[in-house]
Amino acid sequence: GAVVSQHPSRVICKSGTSVKIECRSLDFQATTMFWYRQFPKKSLMLMATSNEGSKATYEQGVEKDKFLINHASLTLSTLTVTSAHPEDSSFYICSASRSGGRANEKLFFGSGTQLSVL
Amino acid sequence: SQKIEQNSEALNIQEGKTATLTCNYTNYSPAYLQWYRQDPGRGPVFLLLIRENEKEKRKERLKVTFDTTLKQSLFHITASQPADSATYLCALYNQGGKLIFGQGTELSVKP
């Protein structure tokens, strides 16, 4: 299967700092990348959809100025949590799509980033 | 509103038994339904996809059924093993082309 690499796997930061998370599709070109957030024992909640070369589309309730997404190439998307606060602590997971979300397409996921804001 | 619901209670079974997990959905008309496995601290891994006109799909010890009348999918693991212990997620694409997940069911297989 296709490989999606996500870094870092774990980050601890002080409140007020910004954290960048990278998501790379290693062996295919990802037309679309999705960013999810997951709290313990809860489902994955879609935060935003990013398409290469265009602005990300954010889900309702997700602050676009807090969670900056850049999809500069077909193999790289980044999520920057700006001025992080303890309530931003969560597990962030990216996924990559070849087709942009066709109904029969399986997604490939990164291994996730556990963010802890002190 | 649209919902994807899975049994939130953990499922504990003995090794060798069949595990059956349930996924119910409302206000969707999916042409496909997917199942993923997620281990602690990891991203989900795709397992199976089933089409609306397929009643059943199998892959090794896994079997998925899809009943569009009941709006339900069942996920079975036969001859379960401790290595099958994980959280299993069902997922559907919404009309906006986004994959939406149920909350997952945690399976624990005891030796």
Side-chain angles (χ1 to χ4, degrees), chain B residues 11 13-19 21 37-39 47 61-62 75-88 105-110:
Chain B
L11 179 62
I13 64 169
Q14 205 67 31
E15 183 176 8
K17 301 292 185 183
T18 296
L21 287 70
R37 168 181 172 146
Q38 186 177 23
D39 290 283
L47 294 176
R61 294 183 295 110
L62 308 181
F75 177 83
H76 306 270
I77 305 176
T78 57
S80 60
Q81 304 166 359
D84 296 325
S85 298
T87 295
Y88 292 87
T105 298
E106 185 178 350
L107 172 67
S108 178
V109 181
K110 303 296 184 187

Side-chain angles (χ1 to χ4, degrees), chain A residues 4-13 18-24 33-37 47 66-71 76-82 84 88-95 110-117:
Chain A
V4 176
S5 174
Q6 185 173 343
H7 291 282
S9 58
R10 181 176 293 273
V11 59
I12 301 172
C13 68
S18 294
V19 175
K20 180 185 281 190
I21 303 169
E22 286 192 351
C23 181
R24 294 180 185 273
M33 288 190 177
F34 300 94
W35 287 94
Y36 290 83
R37 181 175 183 176
M47 297 174 65
K66 158 69 80 174
F67 300 102
L68 299 179
I69 292 173
N70 184 284
H71 194 157
L76 174 64
S77 177
T78 60
L79 167 67
T80 301
V81 183
T82 61
D88 299 323
S89 298
S90 189
F91 191 56
Y92 293 88
I93 313 172
C94 69
S95 67
S111 54
T113 298
Q114 182 63 53
L115 171 64
S116 300
V117 185

